Amino acid sequence: AQSVAQPEDQVNVAEGNPLTVKCTYSVSGNPYLFWYVQYPNRGLQFLLKYITGDNLVKGSYGFEAEFNKSQTSFHLKKPSALVSDSALYFCAVRDWYGNNRLAFGKGNQVVVIP
Amino acid sequence: DTAVSQTPKYLVTQMGNDKSIKCEQNLGHDTMYWYKQDSKKFLKIMFSYNNKELIINETVPNRFSPKSPDKAHLNLHINSLELGDSAVYFCASSQPSGRPLQETQYFGPGTRLLVL
């Protein structure tokens, strides 16, 4: 079954510094990868996805993610973090063998320190 | 003009009661989902409907029954509520395409259920 791992529980970063949230995946076929963000007491908001093509995917709010097939990773990045980026970030994956199920990672809490 | 809406936003109830959560999407999507987010923030799919037809039914107690009166609505009915049902329940929908694996799911704001 497809799965993703988000190894860190919490990521702390100073405002203005680069932000990276890590995600590795495990699939049987080609991966379709997604990043979502959840602000406190809110639903999940879609940030970006990788389907095929360019390994660097640009998304909402200045976020981007890099697909690395050899390392089976899809890390989320932002060049300069804002305090308002403090939230819970979820990586998710689908593949052909998962019956269209979207498998989510456990989430990473990002805290941007002013 | 909310895309995916859920009611109620908060639900506090006693053990043993029966309750329903409603979900509506105005995006014209064919597929709708229910997810459960537990206290540790783990998200797990419960059900998925495509054009009113059940296509994903994960291993959830049969006290949980989804109902889709039309493709814009997917309600979740829960019988005989238990303490362990306390969680946040999210509805989501996705746009029809010839490539379902590539579809982006759009989530509602969640319903916070507390069973006492």
Side-chain angles (χ1 to χ4, degrees):
Chain A
Q2 74 275 35
S3 66
V4 292
Q6 295 181 247
E8 300 158 315
D9 287 331
Q10 182 163 310
V11 175
N12 295 328
V13 62
E15 187 177 22
N17 281 4
L19 169 62
T20 298
V21 189
K22 295 180 180 177
C23 172
T24 56
Y25 65 89
S26 173
V27 295
S28 301
N30 291 326
Y32 300 92
L33 294 151
F34 301 77
W35 274 103
Y36 285 84
V37 59
Q38 183 179 20
Y39 297 102
N41 297 318
R42 304 280 294 277
L44 277 73
Q45 293 181 29
F46 169 71
L47 281 178
L48 51 80
K49 66 182 176 183
Y50 171 81
I51 302 301
T52 187
D54 196 349
N55 289 342
L56 186 63
V57 180
K58 293 189 184 297
S60 307
Y61 312 124
F63 283 94
E64 58 188 28
E66 186 167 9
F67 173 69
N68 187 318
K69 189 172 183 178
S70 62
Q71 296 184 6
T72 62
S73 67
F74 189 56
H75 300 332
L76 181 71
K77 299 181 182 182
K78 186 170 183 179
S80 177
L82 302 172
V83 173
S84 58
D85 293 327
S86 298
L88 191 57
Y89 290 80
F90 289 95
C91 183
V93 69
R94 268 203 199 106
D95 74 355
W96 276 109
Y97 299 92
N99 293 324
N100 201 21
R101 284 165 176 76
L102 190 60
F104 283 87
K106 66 178 176 61
N108 278 128
Q109 184 67 49
V110 169
V111 177
V112 181
I113 304 161
Chain B
D1 59 347
T2 304
V4 183
S5 60
Q6 295 179 229
T7 53
K9 190 172 181 180
Y10 297 96
L11 183 55
V12 181
T13 187
Q14 299 286 334
M15 257 192 332
N17 284 351
D18 302 338
K19 291 292 179 186
S20 291
I21 307 171
K22 295 186 177 181
C23 177
E24 176 181 4
Q25 53 92 7
N26 62 5
L27 298 166
H29 292 174
D30 274 355
T31 306
M32 296 183 72
Y33 311 80
W34 276 110
Y35 286 86
K36 179 180 180 180
Q37 186 177 44
D38 65 22
S39 59
K40 295 185 179 178
K41 306 295 185 183
F42 282 111
L43 262 170
K44 191 165 181 200
I45 190 164
M46 300 172 71
F47 302 103
S48 173
Y49 268 73
N50 180 267
N51 209 6
K52 301 198 300 174
E53 186 178 335
L54 182 66
I55 56 172
I56 293 176
N57 185 353
E58 288 296 283
T59 308
V60 299
N62 56 15
R63 298 181 294 105
F64 290 78
S65 54
K67 287 187 172 50
S68 182
D70 55 63
K71 70 176 190 180
H73 295 85
L74 180 62
N75 303 324
L76 184 65
H77 188 76
I78 316 171
N79 288 329
S80 302
L81 278 155
E82 300 177 357
L83 294 177
D85 297 332
S86 296
V88 182
Y89 293 85
F90 287 103
C91 177
S93 70
S94 60
Q95 186 173 359
S97 75
R99 299 173 178 173
L101 295 183
Q102 301 180 16
E103 292 169 7
T104 298
Q105 293 181 17
Y106 295 90
F107 285 75
T111 294
R112 284 144 188 85
L113 171 65
L114 178 61
V115 183
L116 302 174

